[in-house]
Amino acid sequence: EVQLVESGGGLVQPGGSLRLSCAASGFIFSDHYMDWVRQAPGKGLEWVARTRDRAHGYGTEYAASVKGRFTISRDDSRNSLYLQMNSLKADDTAVYYCVRVGDCSGDWCSPADYWGQGALVTVSS
Amino acid sequence: DIQMTQSPSAMSASVGDRVTITCRASQDISNYLAWFQQKPGKVPKRLIYAVSTLQGGVPSRFSGSGSGTEFTLTISSLQPEDFATYYCLQHNFYPLTFGGGTKVEIK
């Protein structure tokens, strides 16, 4: 059974930093791209970042709203995904979901097939 | 960035109704379109991917269609458990972008 468990959320002051972790199990983590998706309170879904797998050089992509402030990374030996968030703003307040990208064929990858329960990040003074 | 315009943003419907939700992309996204359902306080769940491929375990009353820039999610006969918010997602271009959501409420 695929499981994604986020941790590391909490309350942080504006300008502060936080690191989210996601522990993956039930599948071959190293074979999959992984995403972070967030949802501000009462709002819609926003894609945040992606890391590709080793076969694709662990390349990364970011939403413009977080580029230069957030860093996505992974440790395949620990089956773990991370999101380092720096220079946090009130607008970053959201539930952050760890999301698995499904199987890829060429440049087509099955999107967002499994989601974690989410980690709440609150940026407030 | 690709804009995904979902309509309507909210709707009221009765059990048994046929419901149609539309998602328009600001440019051609081929078949890189998925639909998600989210119930209050719950994690989003993928319903459909590649425009029309039903996720395993999803009831056949859900269907997807479209191509290029216009896509549709249809619920053929709305059931009580279908009252939720629905989102489309394009994953052809970075950044990936979601539609704004359609909240389906009980009439």
Side-chain angles (χ1 to χ4, degrees), chain A residues 35 37 39 43-47 50 52 61-63 97 107-113 115-117, chain B residues 1 31-32 34 36 38 42-46 49-50 55 87 89 91-92 94-100:
Chain A
D35 288 346
V37 174
Q39 186 169 37
K43 302 297 184 182
L45 300 169
E46 180 186 16
W47 175 84
R50 168 169 290 181
R52 297 180 181 85
E61 304 286 347
Y62 295 93
Y97 294 103
D107 66 350
W108 194 94
C109 294
S110 179
D113 61 354
W115 297 59
Q117 289 299 308
Chain B
D1 297 2
N31 70 332
Y32 292 63
F36 297 84
Q38 187 179 32
K42 300 297 186 182
V43 176
K45 169 188 169 183
R46 191 175 75 174
Y49 60 98
Q55 179 72 25
Y87 296 93
L89 166 70
H91 58 105
N92 195 358
Y94 293 107
L96 277 61
T97 43
F98 287 91

mmCIF file of all heavy atoms in Angstrom, chain A residues 35 37 39 43-47 50 52 61-63 97 107-113 115-117, chain B residues 1 31-32 34 36 38 42-46 49-50 55 87 89 91-92 94-100:
data_model
loop_
_atom_site.group_PDB
_atom_site.id
_atom_site.type_symbol
_atom_site.label_atom_id
_atom_site.label_comp_id
_atom_site.label_asym_id
_atom_site.label_seq_id
_atom_site.Cartn_x
_atom_site.Cartn_y
_atom_site.Cartn_z
ATOM 1 N N ASP A 35 6.062 15.501 -6.182
ATOM 2 C CA ASP A 35 5.623 16.895 -6.153
ATOM 3 C C ASP A 35 5.264 17.325 -4.735
ATOM 4 O O ASP A 35 4.942 16.497 -3.882
ATOM 5 C CB ASP A 35 4.355 17.081 -6.998
ATOM 6 C CG ASP A 35 4.580 16.989 -8.489
ATOM 7 O OD1 ASP A 35 5.743 17.050 -8.934
ATOM 8 O OD2 ASP A 35 3.573 16.865 -9.214
ATOM 9 N N VAL A 37 2.305 20.003 -3.374
ATOM 10 C CA VAL A 37 1.130 20.799 -3.736
ATOM 11 C C VAL A 37 0.595 21.408 -2.444
ATOM 12 O O VAL A 37 0.594 20.746 -1.407
ATOM 13 C CB VAL A 37 0.044 19.910 -4.397
ATOM 14 C CG1 VAL A 37 -1.246 20.712 -4.630
ATOM 15 C CG2 VAL A 37 0.550 19.335 -5.715
ATOM 16 N N GLN A 39 -2.400 24.068 -0.332
ATOM 17 C CA GLN A 39 -3.770 24.584 -0.329
ATOM 18 C C GLN A 39 -3.921 25.548 0.833
ATOM 19 O O GLN A 39 -3.889 25.141 1.998
ATOM 20 C CB GLN A 39 -4.772 23.433 -0.220
ATOM 21 C CG GLN A 39 -6.222 23.863 -0.364
ATOM 22 C CD GLN A 39 -7.144 22.670 -0.519
ATOM 23 O OE1 GLN A 39 -6.947 21.617 0.085
ATOM 24 N NE2 GLN A 39 -8.178 22.823 -1.344
ATOM 25 N N LYS A 43 -9.060 27.845 0.201
ATOM 26 C CA LYS A 43 -8.724 28.149 -1.186
ATOM 27 C C LYS A 43 -8.503 26.869 -1.996
ATOM 28 O O LYS A 43 -8.660 25.763 -1.488
ATOM 29 C CB LYS A 43 -7.452 29.015 -1.234
ATOM 30 C CG LYS A 43 -7.565 30.318 -0.472
ATOM 31 C CD LYS A 43 -8.621 31.233 -1.043
ATOM 32 C CE LYS A 43 -8.650 32.570 -0.319
ATOM 33 N NZ LYS A 43 -9.723 33.470 -0.848
ATOM 34 N N GLY A 44 -8.128 27.046 -3.261
ATOM 35 C CA GLY A 44 -7.911 25.925 -4.161
ATOM 36 C C GLY A 44 -6.514 25.342 -4.060
ATOM 37 O O GLY A 44 -5.712 25.722 -3.198
ATOM 38 N N LEU A 45 -6.230 24.425 -4.956
ATOM 39 C CA LEU A 45 -4.951 23.729 -4.968
ATOM 40 C C LEU A 45 -3.923 24.492 -5.796
ATOM 41 O O LEU A 45 -4.251 25.061 -6.845
ATOM 42 C CB LEU A 45 -5.136 22.331 -5.566
ATOM 43 C CG LEU A 45 -6.118 21.426 -4.810
ATOM 44 C CD1 LEU A 45 -6.427 20.178 -5.635
ATOM 45 C CD2 LEU A 45 -5.559 21.048 -3.461
ATOM 46 N N GLU A 46 -2.693 24.493 -5.317
ATOM 47 C CA GLU A 46 -1.596 25.159 -6.032
ATOM 48 C C GLU A 46 -0.400 24.230 -6.071
ATOM 49 O O GLU A 46 0.126 23.828 -5.017
ATOM 50 C CB GLU A 46 -1.211 26.477 -5.349
ATOM 51 C CG GLU A 46 -0.067 27.198 -6.062
ATOM 52 C CD GLU A 46 0.444 28.425 -5.328
ATOM 53 O OE1 GLU A 46 0.149 28.589 -4.129
ATOM 54 O OE2 GLU A 46 1.169 29.236 -5.949
ATOM 55 N N TRP A 47 0.071 23.899 -7.257
ATOM 56 C CA TRP A 47 1.287 23.112 -7.405
ATOM 57 C C TRP A 47 2.491 23.967 -7.002
ATOM 58 O O TRP A 47 2.560 25.148 -7.368
ATOM 59 C CB TRP A 47 1.424 22.641 -8.849
ATOM 60 C CG TRP A 47 2.687 21.929 -9.146
ATOM 61 C CD1 TRP A 47 2.958 20.612 -8.934
ATOM 62 C CD2 TRP A 47 3.871 22.499 -9.725
ATOM 63 N NE1 TRP A 47 4.240 20.328 -9.332
ATOM 64 C CE2 TRP A 47 4.821 21.467 -9.823
ATOM 65 C CE3 TRP A 47 4.216 23.770 -10.158
ATOM 66 C CZ2 TRP A 47 6.092 21.666 -10.347
ATOM 67 C CZ3 TRP A 47 5.473 23.980 -10.682
ATOM 68 C CH2 TRP A 47 6.408 22.936 -10.772
ATOM 69 N N ARG A 50 8.492 20.230 -8.076
ATOM 70 C CA ARG A 50 8.673 18.842 -8.526
ATOM 71 C C ARG A 50 10.152 18.487 -8.506
ATOM 72 O O ARG A 50 11.006 19.313 -8.858
ATOM 73 C CB ARG A 50 8.137 18.647 -9.936
ATOM 74 C CG ARG A 50 8.534 17.318 -10.603
ATOM 75 C CD ARG A 50 7.764 17.061 -11.862
ATOM 76 N NE ARG A 50 6.364 16.770 -11.548
ATOM 77 C CZ ARG A 50 5.451 16.474 -12.469
ATOM 78 N NH1 ARG A 50 5.779 16.436 -13.750
ATOM 79 N NH2 ARG A 50 4.209 16.242 -12.108
ATOM 80 N N ARG A 52 12.469 15.348 -10.228
ATOM 81 C CA ARG A 52 12.473 14.174 -11.077
ATOM 82 C C ARG A 52 13.272 13.062 -10.389
ATOM 83 O O ARG A 52 13.864 13.271 -9.337
ATOM 84 C CB ARG A 52 13.061 14.508 -12.438
ATOM 85 C CG ARG A 52 12.226 15.547 -13.214
ATOM 86 C CD ARG A 52 12.831 15.871 -14.554
ATOM 87 N NE ARG A 52 12.057 16.864 -15.295
ATOM 88 C CZ ARG A 52 12.172 18.178 -15.148
ATOM 89 N NH1 ARG A 52 13.021 18.666 -14.262
ATOM 90 N NH2 ARG A 52 11.435 18.991 -15.867
ATOM 91 N N GLU A 61 11.634 21.609 -10.680
ATOM 92 C CA GLU A 61 10.799 22.678 -11.235
ATOM 93 C C GLU A 61 10.080 23.345 -10.071
ATOM 94 O O GLU A 61 9.754 22.689 -9.079
ATOM 95 C CB GLU A 61 9.769 22.121 -12.218
ATOM 96 C CG GLU A 61 10.331 21.308 -13.370
ATOM 97 C CD GLU A 61 11.012 22.147 -14.429
ATOM 98 O OE1 GLU A 61 10.843 23.379 -14.419
ATOM 99 O OE2 GLU A 61 11.715 21.543 -15.285
ATOM 100 N N TYR A 62 9.783 24.638 -10.234
ATOM 101 C CA TYR A 62 9.135 25.380 -9.162
ATOM 102 C C TYR A 62 8.051 26.310 -9.711
ATOM 103 O O TYR A 62 8.156 26.815 -10.832
ATOM 104 C CB TYR A 62 10.150 26.251 -8.410
ATOM 105 C CG TYR A 62 11.191 25.469 -7.676
ATOM 106 C CD1 TYR A 62 12.414 25.163 -8.260
ATOM 107 C CD2 TYR A 62 10.945 25.015 -6.375
ATOM 108 C CE1 TYR A 62 13.376 24.417 -7.575
ATOM 109 C CE2 TYR A 62 11.902 24.286 -5.687
ATOM 110 C CZ TYR A 62 13.110 23.986 -6.301
ATOM 111 O OH TYR A 62 14.055 23.252 -5.623
ATOM 112 N N ALA A 63 7.051 26.556 -8.879
ATOM 113 C CA ALA A 63 6.108 27.631 -9.156
ATOM 114 C C ALA A 63 6.829 28.960 -8.969
ATOM 115 O O ALA A 63 7.730 29.084 -8.136
ATOM 116 C CB ALA A 63 4.924 27.544 -8.200
ATOM 117 N N TYR A 97 0.904 19.258 0.714
ATOM 118 C CA TYR A 97 0.736 17.839 0.418
ATOM 119 C C TYR A 97 1.957 17.300 -0.328
ATOM 120 O O TYR A 97 2.435 17.928 -1.286
ATOM 121 C CB TYR A 97 -0.486 17.606 -0.468
ATOM 122 C CG TYR A 97 -1.817 17.924 0.167
ATOM 123 C CD1 TYR A 97 -2.511 19.086 -0.141
ATOM 124 C CD2 TYR A 97 -2.408 17.041 1.072
ATOM 125 C CE1 TYR A 97 -3.743 19.373 0.411
ATOM 126 C CE2 TYR A 97 -3.640 17.315 1.642
ATOM 127 C CZ TYR A 97 -4.297 18.483 1.300
ATOM 128 O OH TYR A 97 -5.516 18.751 1.863
ATOM 129 N N ASP A 107 7.615 11.809 -22.231
ATOM 130 C CA ASP A 107 7.423 13.019 -21.430
ATOM 131 C C ASP A 107 6.046 13.064 -20.779
ATOM 132 O O ASP A 107 5.680 14.081 -20.187
ATOM 133 C CB ASP A 107 7.647 14.273 -22.276
ATOM 134 C CG ASP A 107 6.610 14.430 -23.373
ATOM 135 O OD1 ASP A 107 5.836 13.477 -23.601
ATOM 136 O OD2 ASP A 107 6.574 15.493 -24.012
ATOM 137 N N TRP A 108 5.268 11.982 -20.876
ATOM 138 C CA TRP A 108 3.952 11.953 -20.239
ATOM 139 C C TRP A 108 4.059 11.169 -18.952
ATOM 140 O O TRP A 108 4.461 9.999 -18.946
ATOM 141 C CB TRP A 108 2.920 11.298 -21.163
ATOM 142 C CG TRP A 108 1.510 11.547 -20.698
ATOM 143 C CD1 TRP A 108 0.684 12.546 -21.101
ATOM 144 C CD2 TRP A 108 0.777 10.796 -19.730
ATOM 145 N NE1 TRP A 108 -0.517 12.462 -20.440
ATOM 146 C CE2 TRP A 108 -0.491 11.410 -19.593
ATOM 147 C CE3 TRP A 108 1.055 9.663 -18.956
ATOM 148 C CZ2 TRP A 108 -1.469 10.934 -18.725
ATOM 149 C CZ3 TRP A 108 0.085 9.188 -18.084
ATOM 150 C CH2 TRP A 108 -1.151 9.823 -17.980
ATOM 151 N N CYS A 109 3.708 11.832 -17.835
ATOM 152 C CA CYS A 109 3.728 11.179 -16.539
ATOM 153 C C CYS A 109 2.323 11.219 -15.942
ATOM 154 O O CYS A 109 1.669 12.264 -15.982
ATOM 155 C CB CYS A 109 4.689 11.882 -15.579
ATOM 156 S SG CYS A 109 6.414 11.758 -16.068
ATOM 157 N N SER A 110 1.898 10.130 -15.397
ATOM 158 C CA SER A 110 0.591 10.035 -14.759
ATOM 159 C C SER A 110 0.560 10.942 -13.525
ATOM 160 O O SER A 110 1.317 10.721 -12.579
ATOM 161 C CB SER A 110 0.334 8.588 -14.358
ATOM 162 O OG SER A 110 -0.896 8.448 -13.732
ATOM 163 N N PRO A 111 -0.280 11.956 -13.513
ATOM 164 C CA PRO A 111 -0.157 12.990 -12.482
ATOM 165 C C PRO A 111 -0.812 12.629 -11.152
ATOM 166 O O PRO A 111 -1.899 12.069 -11.098
ATOM 167 C CB PRO A 111 -0.902 14.174 -13.115
ATOM 168 C CG PRO A 111 -1.975 13.533 -13.925
ATOM 169 C CD PRO A 111 -1.370 12.261 -14.465
ATOM 170 N N ALA A 112 -0.114 13.002 -10.063
ATOM 171 C CA ALA A 112 -0.710 13.087 -8.735
ATOM 172 C C ALA A 112 -1.590 11.894 -8.398
ATOM 173 O O ALA A 112 -2.767 12.069 -8.074
ATOM 174 C CB ALA A 112 -1.501 14.396 -8.613
ATOM 175 N N ASP A 113 -1.020 10.686 -8.444
ATOM 176 C CA ASP A 113 -1.869 9.515 -8.208
ATOM 177 C C ASP A 113 -2.029 9.172 -6.727
ATOM 178 O O ASP A 113 -3.007 8.527 -6.357
ATOM 179 C CB ASP A 113 -1.411 8.309 -9.037
ATOM 180 C CG ASP A 113 -0.002 7.845 -8.729
ATOM 181 O OD1 ASP A 113 0.702 8.519 -7.949
ATOM 182 O OD2 ASP A 113 0.403 6.806 -9.295
ATOM 183 N N TRP A 115 -1.594 10.947 -2.634
ATOM 184 C CA TRP A 115 -1.387 12.154 -1.842
ATOM 185 C C TRP A 115 -1.191 11.767 -0.382
ATOM 186 O O TRP A 115 -1.841 10.855 0.131
ATOM 187 C CB TRP A 115 -2.610 13.065 -1.935
ATOM 188 C CG TRP A 115 -2.920 13.584 -3.304
ATOM 189 C CD1 TRP A 115 -3.203 12.856 -4.434
ATOM 190 C CD2 TRP A 115 -3.010 14.946 -3.697
ATOM 191 N NE1 TRP A 115 -3.457 13.684 -5.492
ATOM 192 C CE2 TRP A 115 -3.352 14.983 -5.072
ATOM 193 C CE3 TRP A 115 -2.847 16.163 -3.032
ATOM 194 C CZ2 TRP A 115 -3.518 16.175 -5.781
ATOM 195 C CZ3 TRP A 115 -3.021 17.354 -3.731
ATOM 196 C CH2 TRP A 115 -3.350 17.347 -5.087
ATOM 197 N N GLY A 116 -0.330 12.528 0.297
ATOM 198 C CA GLY A 116 -0.237 12.391 1.734
ATOM 199 C C GLY A 116 -1.385 13.122 2.413
ATOM 200 O O GLY A 116 -2.218 13.748 1.750
ATOM 201 N N GLN A 117 -1.418 13.051 3.744
ATOM 202 C CA GLN A 117 -2.485 13.694 4.511
ATOM 203 C C GLN A 117 -2.275 15.193 4.650
ATOM 204 O O GLN A 117 -3.205 15.923 4.997
ATOM 205 C CB GLN A 117 -2.590 13.063 5.894
ATOM 206 C CG GLN A 117 -3.152 11.653 5.874
ATOM 207 C CD GLN A 117 -4.560 11.615 5.303
ATOM 208 O OE1 GLN A 117 -5.441 12.346 5.741
ATOM 209 N NE2 GLN A 117 -4.796 10.757 4.315
ATOM 210 N N ASP B 1 2.328 31.224 -18.145
ATOM 211 C CA ASP B 1 1.705 30.097 -17.466
ATOM 212 C C ASP B 1 0.366 29.754 -18.135
ATOM 213 O O ASP B 1 -0.323 30.636 -18.635
ATOM 214 C CB ASP B 1 1.450 30.416 -15.988
ATOM 215 C CG ASP B 1 2.729 30.670 -15.210
ATOM 216 O OD1 ASP B 1 3.822 30.631 -15.832
ATOM 217 O OD2 ASP B 1 2.630 30.901 -13.994
ATOM 218 N N ASN B 31 -3.525 15.938 -24.183
ATOM 219 C CA ASN B 31 -4.341 15.107 -23.289
ATOM 220 C C ASN B 31 -3.803 15.122 -21.861
ATOM 221 O O ASN B 31 -4.066 14.212 -21.074
ATOM 222 C CB ASN B 31 -4.394 13.672 -23.807
ATOM 223 C CG ASN B 31 -3.067 12.953 -23.667
ATOM 224 O OD1 ASN B 31 -2.013 13.581 -23.676
ATOM 225 N ND2 ASN B 31 -3.108 11.636 -23.534
ATOM 226 N N TYR B 32 -3.058 16.170 -21.499
ATOM 227 C CA TYR B 32 -2.428 16.242 -20.179
ATOM 228 C C TYR B 32 -3.381 16.885 -19.172
ATOM 229 O O TYR B 32 -3.104 17.950 -18.606
ATOM 230 C CB TYR B 32 -1.130 17.039 -20.254
ATOM 231 C CG TYR B 32 -0.012 16.377 -21.026
ATOM 232 C CD1 TYR B 32 -0.125 16.098 -22.389
ATOM 233 C CD2 TYR B 32 1.188 16.044 -20.395
ATOM 234 C CE1 TYR B 32 0.916 15.506 -23.084
ATOM 235 C CE2 TYR B 32 2.239 15.466 -21.089
ATOM 236 C CZ TYR B 32 2.090 15.202 -22.436
ATOM 237 O OH TYR B 32 3.134 14.630 -23.128
ATOM 238 N N ALA B 34 -6.194 16.109 -15.923
ATOM 239 C CA ALA B 34 -6.726 15.210 -14.904
ATOM 240 C C ALA B 34 -7.792 15.932 -14.086
ATOM 241 O O ALA B 34 -7.821 17.165 -14.043
ATOM 242 C CB ALA B 34 -5.600 14.719 -13.998
ATOM 243 N N PHE B 36 -9.797 15.911 -10.152
ATOM 244 C CA PHE B 36 -9.689 15.502 -8.758
ATOM 245 C C PHE B 36 -10.967 15.882 -8.016
ATOM 246 O O PHE B 36 -11.616 16.877 -8.350
ATOM 247 C CB PHE B 36 -8.495 16.190 -8.086
ATOM 248 C CG PHE B 36 -7.182 15.797 -8.698
ATOM 249 C CD1 PHE B 36 -6.723 16.441 -9.832
ATOM 250 C CD2 PHE B 36 -6.431 14.772 -8.163
ATOM 251 C CE1 PHE B 36 -5.523 16.077 -10.433
ATOM 252 C CE2 PHE B 36 -5.223 14.389 -8.741
ATOM 253 C CZ PHE B 36 -4.779 15.038 -9.890
ATOM 254 N N GLN B 38 -12.368 16.614 -4.053
ATOM 255 C CA GLN B 38 -11.981 16.861 -2.670
ATOM 256 C C GLN B 38 -13.215 17.117 -1.815
ATOM 257 O O GLN B 38 -13.979 18.040 -2.085
ATOM 258 C CB GLN B 38 -11.004 18.032 -2.560
ATOM 259 C CG GLN B 38 -10.445 18.216 -1.147
ATOM 260 C CD GLN B 38 -9.460 19.352 -1.035
ATOM 261 O OE1 GLN B 38 -9.560 20.352 -1.737
ATOM 262 N NE2 GLN B 38 -8.472 19.215 -0.155
ATOM 263 N N LYS B 42 -10.769 16.655 3.677
ATOM 264 C CA LYS B 42 -10.129 15.439 3.159
ATOM 265 C C LYS B 42 -9.068 15.765 2.111
ATOM 266 O O LYS B 42 -8.974 16.876 1.606
ATOM 267 C CB LYS B 42 -11.187 14.514 2.538
ATOM 268 C CG LYS B 42 -12.260 14.063 3.504
ATOM 269 C CD LYS B 42 -11.698 13.234 4.643
ATOM 270 C CE LYS B 42 -12.792 12.675 5.527
ATOM 271 N NZ LYS B 42 -12.246 11.909 6.671
ATOM 272 N N VAL B 43 -8.294 14.744 1.797
ATOM 273 C CA VAL B 43 -7.232 14.863 0.798
ATOM 274 C C VAL B 43 -7.836 14.756 -0.600
ATOM 275 O O VAL B 43 -8.754 13.961 -0.818
ATOM 276 C CB VAL B 43 -6.197 13.734 1.023
ATOM 277 C CG1 VAL B 43 -5.129 13.764 -0.047
ATOM 278 C CG2 VAL B 43 -5.583 13.837 2.410
ATOM 279 N N PRO B 44 -7.326 15.521 -1.556
ATOM 280 C CA PRO B 44 -7.821 15.355 -2.931
ATOM 281 C C PRO B 44 -7.608 13.933 -3.423
ATOM 282 O O PRO B 44 -6.623 13.263 -3.058
ATOM 283 C CB PRO B 44 -6.976 16.355 -3.728
ATOM 284 C CG PRO B 44 -6.579 17.391 -2.728
ATOM 285 C CD PRO B 44 -6.368 16.631 -1.453
ATOM 286 N N LYS B 45 -8.515 13.511 -4.267
ATOM 287 C CA LYS B 45 -8.479 12.151 -4.812
ATOM 288 C C LYS B 45 -8.571 12.245 -6.336
ATOM 289 O O LYS B 45 -9.439 12.958 -6.861
ATOM 290 C CB LYS B 45 -9.672 11.360 -4.254
ATOM 291 C CG LYS B 45 -9.948 10.032 -4.910
ATOM 292 C CD LYS B 45 -11.265 9.469 -4.384
ATOM 293 C CE LYS B 45 -11.735 8.270 -5.177
ATOM 294 N NZ LYS B 45 -13.043 7.765 -4.720
ATOM 295 N N ARG B 46 -7.677 11.540 -7.022
ATOM 296 C CA ARG B 46 -7.722 11.587 -8.483
ATOM 297 C C ARG B 46 -8.878 10.737 -8.995
ATOM 298 O O ARG B 46 -9.037 9.587 -8.601
ATOM 299 C CB ARG B 46 -6.398 11.090 -9.073
ATOM 300 C CG ARG B 46 -6.271 11.361 -10.554
ATOM 301 C CD ARG B 46 -4.907 10.980 -11.073
ATOM 302 N NE ARG B 46 -4.750 9.534 -11.199
ATOM 303 C CZ ARG B 46 -3.677 8.945 -11.749
ATOM 304 N NH1 ARG B 46 -2.689 9.699 -12.195
ATOM 305 N NH2 ARG B 46 -3.610 7.632 -11.828
ATOM 306 N N TYR B 49 -7.607 10.682 -15.387
ATOM 307 C CA TYR B 49 -6.376 11.214 -15.940
ATOM 308 C C TYR B 49 -6.375 10.966 -17.454
ATOM 309 O O TYR B 49 -7.224 10.221 -17.962
ATOM 310 C CB TYR B 49 -5.143 10.605 -15.260
ATOM 311 C CG TYR B 49 -5.032 9.103 -15.394
ATOM 312 C CD1 TYR B 49 -4.228 8.533 -16.373
ATOM 313 C CD2 TYR B 49 -5.709 8.260 -14.530
ATOM 314 C CE1 TYR B 49 -4.120 7.159 -16.501
ATOM 315 C CE2 TYR B 49 -5.618 6.890 -14.647
ATOM 316 C CZ TYR B 49 -4.817 6.338 -15.626
ATOM 317 O OH TYR B 49 -4.714 4.974 -15.748
ATOM 318 N N ALA B 50 -5.438 11.610 -18.134
ATOM 319 C CA ALA B 50 -5.394 11.532 -19.602
ATOM 320 C C ALA B 50 -6.763 11.810 -20.213
ATOM 321 O O ALA B 50 -7.219 11.088 -21.110
ATOM 322 C CB ALA B 50 -4.855 10.163 -20.049
ATOM 323 N N GLN B 55 -9.795 6.485 -12.954
ATOM 324 C CA GLN B 55 -8.953 5.892 -11.918
ATOM 325 C C GLN B 55 -9.627 4.629 -11.406
ATOM 326 O O GLN B 55 -10.866 4.589 -11.279
ATOM 327 C CB GLN B 55 -8.775 6.904 -10.783
ATOM 328 C CG GLN B 55 -7.947 6.423 -9.628
ATOM 329 C CD GLN B 55 -6.482 6.336 -9.956
ATOM 330 O OE1 GLN B 55 -6.001 7.022 -10.846
ATOM 331 N NE2 GLN B 55 -5.776 5.498 -9.228
ATOM 332 N N TYR B 87 -11.598 19.678 -9.084
ATOM 333 C CA TYR B 87 -10.521 20.473 -9.677
ATOM 334 C C TYR B 87 -9.981 19.778 -10.927
ATOM 335 O O TYR B 87 -9.813 18.562 -10.941
ATOM 336 C CB TYR B 87 -9.338 20.633 -8.716
ATOM 337 C CG TYR B 87 -9.636 21.384 -7.450
ATOM 338 C CD1 TYR B 87 -10.023 20.711 -6.289
ATOM 339 C CD2 TYR B 87 -9.499 22.772 -7.388
ATOM 340 C CE1 TYR B 87 -10.274 21.394 -5.112
ATOM 341 C CE2 TYR B 87 -9.750 23.462 -6.203
ATOM 342 C CZ TYR B 87 -10.142 22.767 -5.095
ATOM 343 O OH TYR B 87 -10.387 23.448 -3.918
ATOM 344 N N LEU B 89 -6.589 19.704 -13.585
ATOM 345 C CA LEU B 89 -5.146 19.957 -13.526
ATOM 346 C C LEU B 89 -4.547 19.741 -14.909
ATOM 347 O O LEU B 89 -4.779 18.691 -15.529
ATOM 348 C CB LEU B 89 -4.475 19.000 -12.540
ATOM 349 C CG LEU B 89 -2.934 18.917 -12.613
ATOM 350 C CD1 LEU B 89 -2.313 20.213 -12.107
ATOM 351 C CD2 LEU B 89 -2.414 17.715 -11.827
ATOM 352 N N HIS B 91 -0.971 19.182 -16.823
ATOM 353 C CA HIS B 91 0.407 18.812 -16.481
ATOM 354 C C HIS B 91 1.258 18.692 -17.733
ATOM 355 O O HIS B 91 2.233 17.934 -17.769
ATOM 356 C CB HIS B 91 0.429 17.531 -15.643
ATOM 357 C CG HIS B 91 -0.214 16.340 -16.305
ATOM 358 N ND1 HIS B 91 0.521 15.298 -16.838
ATOM 359 C CD2 HIS B 91 -1.509 16.016 -16.486
ATOM 360 C CE1 HIS B 91 -0.299 14.405 -17.335
ATOM 361 N NE2 HIS B 91 -1.542 14.805 -17.130
ATOM 362 N N ASN B 92 0.906 19.477 -18.756
ATOM 363 C CA ASN B 92 1.716 19.492 -19.973
ATOM 364 C C ASN B 92 2.870 20.481 -19.881
ATOM 365 O O ASN B 92 3.941 20.252 -20.441
ATOM 366 C CB ASN B 92 0.840 19.837 -21.176
ATOM 367 C CG ASN B 92 1.518 19.525 -22.504
ATOM 368 O OD1 ASN B 92 2.669 19.085 -22.554
ATOM 369 N ND2 ASN B 92 0.819 19.751 -23.588
ATOM 370 N N TYR B 94 5.140 23.420 -17.402
ATOM 371 C CA TYR B 94 5.450 23.958 -16.091
ATOM 372 C C TYR B 94 5.195 25.465 -16.088
ATOM 373 O O TYR B 94 5.495 26.142 -17.080
ATOM 374 C CB TYR B 94 6.910 23.681 -15.731
ATOM 375 C CG TYR B 94 7.204 22.230 -15.525
ATOM 376 C CD1 TYR B 94 7.940 21.509 -16.462
ATOM 377 C CD2 TYR B 94 6.728 21.550 -14.395
ATOM 378 C CE1 TYR B 94 8.210 20.163 -16.285
ATOM 379 C CE2 TYR B 94 6.985 20.206 -14.212
ATOM 380 C CZ TYR B 94 7.723 19.510 -15.171
ATOM 381 O OH TYR B 94 7.971 18.175 -14.986
ATOM 382 N N PRO B 95 4.671 26.021 -15.009
ATOM 383 C CA PRO B 95 4.215 25.293 -13.817
ATOM 384 C C PRO B 95 2.909 24.545 -14.068
ATOM 385 O O PRO B 95 2.063 25.003 -14.835
ATOM 386 C CB PRO B 95 3.991 26.412 -12.797
ATOM 387 C CG PRO B 95 3.590 27.578 -13.638
ATOM 388 C CD PRO B 95 4.399 27.467 -14.906
ATOM 389 N N LEU B 96 2.763 23.380 -13.415
ATOM 390 C CA LEU B 96 1.478 22.709 -13.467
ATOM 391 C C LEU B 96 0.435 23.659 -12.874
ATOM 392 O O LEU B 96 0.724 24.408 -11.925
ATOM 393 C CB LEU B 96 1.523 21.421 -12.628
ATOM 394 C CG LEU B 96 2.115 20.179 -13.304
ATOM 395 C CD1 LEU B 96 3.559 20.382 -13.696
ATOM 396 C CD2 LEU B 96 1.980 18.981 -12.379
ATOM 397 N N THR B 97 -0.759 23.639 -13.418
ATOM 398 C CA THR B 97 -1.790 24.553 -12.924
ATOM 399 C C THR B 97 -3.133 23.850 -12.764
ATOM 400 O O THR B 97 -3.549 23.060 -13.616
ATOM 401 C CB THR B 97 -1.957 25.770 -13.850
ATOM 402 O OG1 THR B 97 -1.950 25.338 -15.226
ATOM 403 C CG2 THR B 97 -0.826 26.764 -13.645
ATOM 404 N N PHE B 98 -3.773 24.167 -11.650
ATOM 405 C CA PHE B 98 -5.099 23.661 -11.334
ATOM 406 C C PHE B 98 -6.144 24.698 -11.743
ATOM 407 O O PHE B 98 -5.874 25.910 -11.731
ATOM 408 C CB PHE B 98 -5.246 23.426 -9.834
ATOM 409 C CG PHE B 98 -4.490 22.235 -9.305
ATOM 410 C CD1 PHE B 98 -3.184 22.374 -8.843
ATOM 411 C CD2 PHE B 98 -5.084 20.978 -9.250
ATOM 412 C CE1 PHE B 98 -2.488 21.287 -8.347
ATOM 413 C CE2 PHE B 98 -4.396 19.883 -8.751
ATOM 414 C CZ PHE B 98 -3.089 20.041 -8.302
ATOM 415 N N GLY B 99 -7.343 24.215 -12.053
ATOM 416 C CA GLY B 99 -8.474 25.107 -12.157
ATOM 417 C C GLY B 99 -8.855 25.611 -10.778
ATOM 418 O O GLY B 99 -8.394 25.075 -9.763
ATOM 419 N N GLY B 100 -9.726 26.613 -10.750
ATOM 420 C CA GLY B 100 -10.101 27.231 -9.489
ATOM 421 C C GLY B 100 -11.040 26.404 -8.632
ATOM 422 O O GLY B 100 -11.268 26.735 -7.466
#
